[in-house]
């Protein structure tokens, strides 16, 4: 892990097109601004983990063609 020290308004570059800017420091909290292309997805870690878990669960619950056809039949 790379550890850097930055002051308010200073930034860190990741590659050529992602910039992390220290917006504010208030006690134990640091506000970070992220400048990145729109196609770069940015999530808080807990949200990212939740998305991964949901994707794994969805992949494990694959329906067979018979199960899918039950959902497609019109009620009589």
């Amino acid at each position: 892990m790379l550890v850097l020290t930055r002051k308010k308004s200073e930034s860190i570059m990741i590659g050529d097109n992602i910039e992390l800017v220290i917006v504010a420091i208030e006690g134990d909290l640091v506000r970070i601004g992220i400048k990145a292309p729109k196609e770069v997805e940015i999530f808080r870690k807990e949200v990212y983990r939740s998305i991964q878990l949901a994707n794994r669960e969805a992949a494990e619950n694959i329906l067979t063609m018979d199960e899918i056809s039950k959902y497609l039949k019109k009620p009589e």
Side-chain angles (χ1 to χ4, degrees), residues 24-54:
I25 303 169
E26 300 168 1
D28 290 345
L29 299 177
V30 177
R31 293 178 55 99
I32 300 171
I34 303 168
K35 296 179 185 177
K38 289 183 179 186
E39 62 270 9
V40 175
E41 294 181 326
I42 301 170
F43 301 102
R44 294 187 330 259
K45 189 172 186 177
E46 62 274 14
V47 172
Y48 181 75
R49 285 183 176 167
S50 176
I51 292 168
Q52 285 182 318
L53 177 62

Side-chain angles (χ1 to χ4, degrees), residues 8 14 19-20 23 25 27 36 41 44 51-52 55 76:
K8 183 179 173 185
I14 300 175
E19 181 179 8
L20 305 177
V23 176
I25 303 169
E41 294 181 326
R44 294 187 330 259
I51 292 168
Q52 285 182 318
N55 287 342
E76 296 178 18

Side-chain angles (χ1 to χ4, degrees), residues 54-68:
N55 287 342
R56 259 193 310 277
E57 289 174 351
E60 291 172 359
N61 294 322
I62 298 174
L63 298 175
T64 65
M65 288 304 289
D66 288 337
E67 292 169 324
I68 292 171

